């Protein structure tokens, strides 16, 4: 968001969510064509590849603040980092809790995702129990849903 002009941020976020859906489709394609023994190994390899790629090939746009307290001990640094993270999470939670709009969005999102995950889990279980779906049929079904999601989000 810091390198995109404000007028184009909505379009960029739609592309990002579209690419996120494309990654789900790619995952389902891999699950469809890989033998079952290799799916976990390939997913771990891709999971490791992503941060390595980001570290070496993406340019950081945020300027780091000058380092302070370089002479502090390891335990003190760890405690300070944990304390900062706690305060950050607490501030974020307070913003959501005390803002009626954000609180409403959070509640709606939570129950929407809860319902959708429940429906999709029951549907996948039903397809396996009644029709005997295997991993290839599940991945084909999820690929179709993902492709529709790509077009609707982009």
């Amino acid at each position: 968001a810091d390198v995109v002009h404000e007028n184009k941020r909505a379009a960029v976020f739609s592309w990002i969510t579209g690419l996120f859906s494309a990654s789900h489709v790619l995952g389902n394609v891999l699950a469809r064509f890989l033998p079952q023994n290799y799916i976990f190994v390939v997913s771990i390899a891709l999971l490791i590849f992503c941060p390595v790629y980001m570290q070496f090939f993406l340019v950081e746009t945020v300027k780091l603040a000058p380092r302070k307290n370089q002479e502090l001990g390891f335990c003190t640094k760890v405690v300070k980092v944990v304390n900062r993270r706690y305060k950050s999470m607490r501030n974020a939670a307070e913003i959501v809790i005390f803002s009626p709009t954000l609180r409403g969005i959070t509640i709606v999102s939570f129950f929407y995702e809860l319902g959708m995950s429940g429906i999709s889990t029951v549907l996948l279980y039903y397809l396996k129990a009644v029709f005997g779906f295997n991993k290839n049929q599940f991945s084909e079904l999820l690929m179709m849903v993902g492709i529709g999601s790509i077009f609707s989000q982009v």
Side-chain angles (χ1 to χ4, degrees):
D2 60 337
V3 296
V4 177
H5 195 269
E6 288 182 22
N7 296 339
K8 296 183 181 183
R9 283 192 185 150
V12 169
F13 282 117
S14 70
W15 277 99
I16 289 172
T17 55
L19 289 172
F20 186 68
S21 294
S23 70
H24 282 284
V25 171
L26 179 63
N28 288 315
V29 168
L30 289 174
R32 166 71 176 90
F33 294 110
L34 283 174
Q36 197 165 1
N37 298 342
Y38 295 112
I39 292 174
F40 184 73
V41 174
V42 170
S43 67
I44 292 298
L46 290 173
L47 187 65
I48 292 170
F49 172 76
C50 290
V52 170
Y53 171 80
M54 290 190 312
Q55 177 66 33
F56 290 116
F57 296 107
L58 296 181
V59 177
E60 181 62 57
T61 59
V62 176
K63 304 275 190 258
L64 296 176
R67 292 187 171 225
K68 296 183 281 185
N69 302 329
Q70 291 182 349
E71 66 278 346
L72 292 177
F74 177 75
C75 291
T76 309
K77 288 180 183 179
V78 169
V79 169
K80 282 190 171 207
V81 167
V82 169
N83 194 18
R84 258 195 328 235
R85 300 290 177 181
Y86 171 74
K87 286 180 181 178
S88 174
M89 289 188 302
R90 183 175 174 180
N91 288 340
E94 286 176 353
I95 289 170
V96 170
I97 290 170
F98 295 123
S99 168
T101 305
L102 289 177
R103 186 175 54 236
I105 290 170
T106 304
I107 291 170
V108 168
S109 275
F110 173 77
F111 285 113
Y112 172 78
E113 285 299 323
L114 182 67
M116 289 305 292
S117 66
I119 287 171
S120 63
T121 303
V122 168
L123 173 65
L124 295 177
Y125 179 77
Y126 176 79
L127 292 173
K128 176 142 181 90
V130 174
F131 299 111
F133 270 38
N134 60 19
K135 75 167 185 74
N136 295 341
Q137 292 166 319
F138 281 134
S139 67
E140 290 167 358
L141 180 68
L142 292 172
M143 276 190 285
M144 289 188 296
V145 171
I147 290 169
S149 177
I150 291 169
F151 288 112
S152 71
Q153 290 173 356
V154 170

